[in-house]
Amino acid sequence: MNNKKEKLARVGMLAKGVVYAIIGTLTAMAAFNLGGSKSGNENVLQFLAGQPFGQVLLALLGVGLFGYTFYRFYEAFKGSGDSWGEVKGFFKRTGFIVSGVFYGALGVTALRMVLGGSSGSGGSSVISTLMEKSYGPYLVGFIALCLAGKAIFQIYKAYSGTFRDDVNESSLSQQEQKTLIRAGKIGFISRGIVSGIVAFLFFKVATGSGGDTGGKVAAFEFLQDNFGATVMGIIALGLVAYAVFMFIQAKYAQIRI
């Protein structure tokens, strides 16, 4: 049974890598005038739906994302390391749950599209609805604060090298190890930058000073508008590097189940 759970977790990591690979590739193509478009999670689903055997691809991605959700929930409630009773453990395990819910929701959306539903624009509409409530700005501000914390943590992982902790590097060749380290550093920095921009835009929405709740797409538009298409393209390629890291991790992760 444990072996089946481990395989499910690895499939989940692979699915997450696919999501980032498509987001990064499509956005980089747009930045360098090679087609594509500034993309977020919903664009990934729309892209897959438009491919040959698109419904099959969506179904496979949806199942894979459920695998990642399972792994995150398992880490939150049964994983080793700092416990819920410790400050570090509380935030770490809470982060696992949030991540699991997020990717689980994306998996549900993928399967809904297979059954004839639409990917919709849930994120922006939910935030818009919240902002109409008296408590909305505070809640959106809290979300922005969490995203800012995530951004800082991603960049910390890049510079500290702690992203290597869950990979069994002894099983990697010398070239694979070099690729892991480079892809990890570049990938986590790029994720941190994107998360930081999304946090900034959410803060602006919460304080009524503009902003955009369009997630990664809004972050890429911010990069293009303020720093140019080339910088946007470089950050997008960084997300492709993160996808490469996830592909390597899917094969060599030290999964304790």
Side-chain angles (χ1 to χ4, degrees):
M1 179 62 73
N2 283 353
N3 189 46
K4 291 181 179 179
K5 292 178 180 178
E6 181 179 324
K7 288 181 179 178
L8 185 60
R10 293 185 189 280
V11 168
M13 294 176 194
L14 184 64
K16 182 181 178 182
V18 168
V19 170
Y20 274 91
I22 295 175
I23 290 174
T25 300
L26 291 177
T27 304
M29 289 175 66
F32 301 120
N33 296 315
L34 299 173
S37 62
K38 291 184 281 292
S39 299
N41 300 312
E42 292 177 0
N43 302 89
V44 170
L45 303 185
Q46 293 163 0
F47 173 79
L48 290 177
Q51 304 307 305
F53 305 104
Q55 300 302 299
V56 175
L57 295 175
L58 281 173
L60 290 174
L61 181 67
V63 172
L65 291 172
F66 289 149
Y68 193 73
T69 296
F70 156 75
Y71 180 52
R72 281 315 208 188
F73 282 157
Y74 188 95
E75 285 186 303
F77 295 108
K78 294 189 176 182
S80 58
D82 301 307
S83 69
W84 281 99
E86 302 172 80
V87 174
K88 182 180 177 181
F90 175 82
F91 284 104
K92 187 175 182 179
R93 290 173 185 268
T94 300
F96 289 153
I97 293 176
V98 172
S99 178
V101 170
F102 175 82
Y103 285 103
L106 188 60
V108 169
T109 302
L111 295 185
R112 284 181 58 193
M113 291 178 67
V114 172
L115 299 175
S118 170
S119 63
S121 56
S124 298
S125 62
V126 169
I127 298 299
S128 298
T129 301
L130 280 177
M131 287 299 294
E132 294 174 359
K133 309 294 184 181
S134 59
Y135 56 82
Y138 301 102
L139 186 54
V140 173
F142 175 74
I143 294 172
L145 187 62
C146 291
L147 287 168
K150 176 183 176 181
I152 294 170
F153 183 60
Q154 297 296 313
I155 293 175
Y156 164 76
K157 289 181 73 172
Y159 281 100
S160 66
T162 54
F163 61 86
R164 301 167 61 183
D165 292 349
D166 294 327
V167 180
N168 184 12
E169 292 190 41
S170 63
S171 300
L172 274 66
S173 66
Q174 188 174 12
Q175 184 57 49
E176 287 175 327
Q177 189 174 42
K178 288 180 179 179
T179 301
L180 172 79
I181 295 172
R182 290 172 182 169
K185 284 185 177 295
I186 294 171
F188 278 96
I189 289 173
S190 296
R191 282 191 78 202
I193 291 171
V194 172
S195 295
I197 294 172
V198 174
F200 171 70
L201 295 176
F202 270 51
F203 271 125
K204 292 189 70 176
V205 171
T207 57
S209 55
D212 195 327
T213 58
K216 291 183 180 69
V217 174
F220 286 132
E221 289 175 347
F222 178 89
L223 282 168
Q224 185 176 30
D225 293 342
N226 291 276
F227 302 100
T230 300
V231 172
M232 180 184 76
I234 291 171
I235 299 301
L237 289 175
L239 296 186
V240 176
Y242 179 74
V244 172
F245 169 80
M246 289 303 303
F247 294 149
I248 296 175
Q249 186 184 38
K251 184 176 181 181
Y252 297 108
Q254 299 187 72
I255 300 176
R256 304 172 183 86
I257 293 181

